[in-house]
Amino acid sequence: MKRVGLLTSGGDCQALNATMRGVVKGLSSNVDELEVYGFMNGYKGLIYGDYRLLTSRDFSGILTKGGTILGSSRQPFKLMREPDEKGLDKVAAMKQNYYKLRLDCLVILGGNGTQKTANLLREEGLNIIHLPKTIDNDIWGTDMTFGFYSAVNIATEAIDCIHTTAASHNRVFIVEVMGHKVGWLTLYAGIAGGADIILIPEIPYDIKKVIAAIDRRTQAGKGFTILAVAEGAISKQDAKLSKKEYKKKLSEKKYPSVAYELAEQIREANGPEVRITVPGHTQRGGSPCPYDRVLSTRIGVTAADLIMKEEYGYMVGIVNGKMKKVPLGEVSGRLKMVDPKDQIIQEAKLMGISFGD
Ligand code: F6P
């Protein structure tokens, strides 16, 4: 008899259900007796003992279903060691629920913060497998996270739609793309959508260079310009600020987000009409794209294989097209950022895309 716990934590994304389906189908066809416990709403369910015994029915028909059948929540890693409002020791409570159910292992689907808590639980002696979920693609040790390509599709579609209206009205459009502190999503959607300017956190921009790039297009007779801007994009000036100073600037909330600051600066400089589009959480919604369905199924089945072999303490990633088990302790707490010297950046520059640097 194998007893496996499942939980999905942090911001959701499109292929969470597809991944859990992969884990459970992979196990069911190889293990005679299996009990799967789903913890509700991320680590909350594990802390407060909110779980459900799941059956194969729960995993049927969910390959294409976005969101997560288990629900999710954000439980910051930095607060995990702090007692809750009622003085409950969260780590002890999580361990207690794990042992109470006599789990063989806990499969945790989530991003960077989730991974840190997964690693903490590993250090506390639990059998853990982490599966890399996020539209941000910022998890170290895997080339790709599930959710990323589905979000690229949505952000690209947003840029595609903006293209036609931008051209009709001869306007400058800023499309602000998610991605937290990294630029993967903006870079891929920007290139796929034919953006003229791409601004990402890893390459701080000079506003004068951004405006010059718009002017060059205008002089070349192109009436419109499209900027794909990461929500975490930062100017060269702001990049010089200390963390504390930058946080203070953001907390003053002069602008709702970086797109609005840029829009004002562009308007002030040369007066073109500027519009902002923020696709926001639509980027995390809807069905997983075919690539993510395949990736998440592979990741899920590989996790099942590890469980059958009783190999724990790993994240399952994809490296050069092959599934790889990566020791959690080696990747936890590391962020995978875009390398400004990466080939893809050089190629984009060669074809005239400005990064404002
Ligand atoms: O990590 C995924 C992500 O969508 C980021 O791209 C974004 O910054 C953040 O989550 C938004 O978080 P929330 O859903 O809590 O607003």
Side-chain angles (χ1 to χ4, degrees):
M1 160 80 82
K2 282 250 177 270
R3 295 172 199 269
V4 175
L6 278 176
L7 70 82
T8 54
S9 167
D12 71 345
C13 73
Q14 292 88 345
L16 284 161
N17 290 326
T19 309
M20 292 193 279
R21 172 183 173 270
V23 176
V24 174
K25 284 202 181 249
L27 282 171
S28 317
S29 47
N30 284 287
V31 171
D32 291 334
E33 281 186 277
L34 175 68
E35 273 183 11
V36 179
Y37 292 89
F39 292 95
M40 306 311 292
N41 305 313
Y43 287 115
K44 243 190 208 167
L46 184 58
I47 297 170
Y48 298 106
D50 183 9
Y51 57 83
R52 274 203 303 132
L53 182 58
L54 303 168
T55 68
S56 56
R57 266 205 177 157
D58 290 294
F59 298 94
S60 194
I62 61 168
L63 172 65
T64 58
K65 196 172 168 187
T68 159
I69 56 167
L70 297 181
S72 192
S73 67
R74 289 196 187 277
Q75 299 291 314
F77 168 71
K78 60 179 181 209
L79 300 180
M80 278 298 180
R81 289 277 183 202
E82 287 184 21
D84 77 355
E85 326 66 72
K86 291 189 178 146
L88 180 80
D89 179 334
K90 294 175 208 150
V91 176
M94 289 194 279
K95 286 167 70 177
Q96 211 173 10
N97 284 316
Y98 176 97
Y99 289 122
K100 190 177 89 184
L101 292 171
R102 288 181 289 126
L103 295 180
D104 289 295
C105 85
L106 184 59
V107 180
I108 299 175
L109 290 74
N112 278 302
T114 299
Q115 188 189 58
K116 285 194 226 167
T117 299
N119 190 45
L120 179 157
L121 293 174
R122 178 191 67 84
E123 287 168 348
E124 289 285 327
L126 306 193
N127 293 333
I128 301 292
I129 294 179
H130 169 245
L131 307 183
K133 157 247 72 157
T134 170
I135 64 165
D136 304 337
N137 195 30
D138 58 354
I139 297 186
W140 190 271
T142 181
D143 292 345
M144 214 47 78
T145 57
F146 54 86
F148 175 67
Y149 267 115
S150 304
V152 169
N153 285 354
I154 296 170
T156 303
E157 259 175 46
I159 299 173
D160 287 349
C161 291
I162 290 303
H163 244 113
T164 55
T165 175
S168 309
H169 287 269
N170 289 323
R171 283 169 170 162
V172 171
F173 261 93
I174 300 176
V175 182
E176 188 179 282
V177 179
M178 273 190 173
H180 201 215
K181 293 179 181 162
V182 304
W184 293 106
L185 188 51
T186 310
L187 179 63
Y188 275 62
I191 293 175
D196 310 294
I197 299 171
I198 297 178
L199 304 182
I200 59 174
E202 294 87 340
I203 308 179
Y205 63 86
D206 176 344
I207 187 63
K208 289 197 191 109
K209 299 251 171 82
V210 173
I211 290 162
I214 298 172
D215 287 346
R216 269 198 306 279
R217 279 184 58 83
T218 312
Q219 280 150 24
K222 310 256 170 74
F224 71 95
T225 298
I226 294 182
L227 291 86
V229 175
E231 61 179 351
I234 185 166
S235 67
K236 280 188 192 292
Q237 222 177 344
D238 285 350
K240 284 189 198 137
L241 299 176
S242 67
K243 245 187 179 173
K244 203 171 156 200
E245 288 168 328
Y246 186 55
K247 265 196 174 162
K248 184 170 175 282
K249 179 187 161 175
L250 293 182
S251 69
E252 283 160 6
K253 290 208 174 4
K254 186 162 178 220
Y255 304 99
S257 66
V258 63
Y260 291 83
E261 181 173 5
L262 274 163
E264 188 175 294
Q265 289 167 323
I266 296 166
R267 275 188 207 111
E268 276 170 3
N270 54 6
E273 264 197 279
V274 186
R275 293 287 188 274
I276 296 164
T277 295
V278 184
H281 288 78
T282 63
Q283 292 162 101
R284 288 200 334 223
S287 295
C289 68
Y291 176 90
D292 274 338
R293 295 180 200 183
V294 175
L295 176 64
S296 56
T297 301
R298 291 184 70 190
I299 287 180
V301 172
T302 306
D305 190 42
L306 289 181
I307 296 168
M308 286 179 300
K309 293 180 185 150
E310 300 184 357
E311 291 188 44
Y312 304 118
Y314 293 103
M315 172 186 83
V316 177
I318 181 165
V319 178
N320 295 329
K322 297 256 185 296
M323 286 296 117
K324 192 172 172 191
K325 55 176 195 196
V326 190
L328 252 180
E330 282 178 18
V331 291
S332 169
R334 299 177 77 177
L335 199 63
K336 185 182 71 184
M337 304 190 84
V338 176
D339 177 358
K341 294 198 189 81
D342 199 293
Q343 266 190 339
I344 191 171
I345 302 282
Q346 307 315 319
E347 291 150 5
K349 284 185 173 173
L350 267 177
M351 60 167 301
I353 295 175
S354 165
F355 285 81
D357 58 336

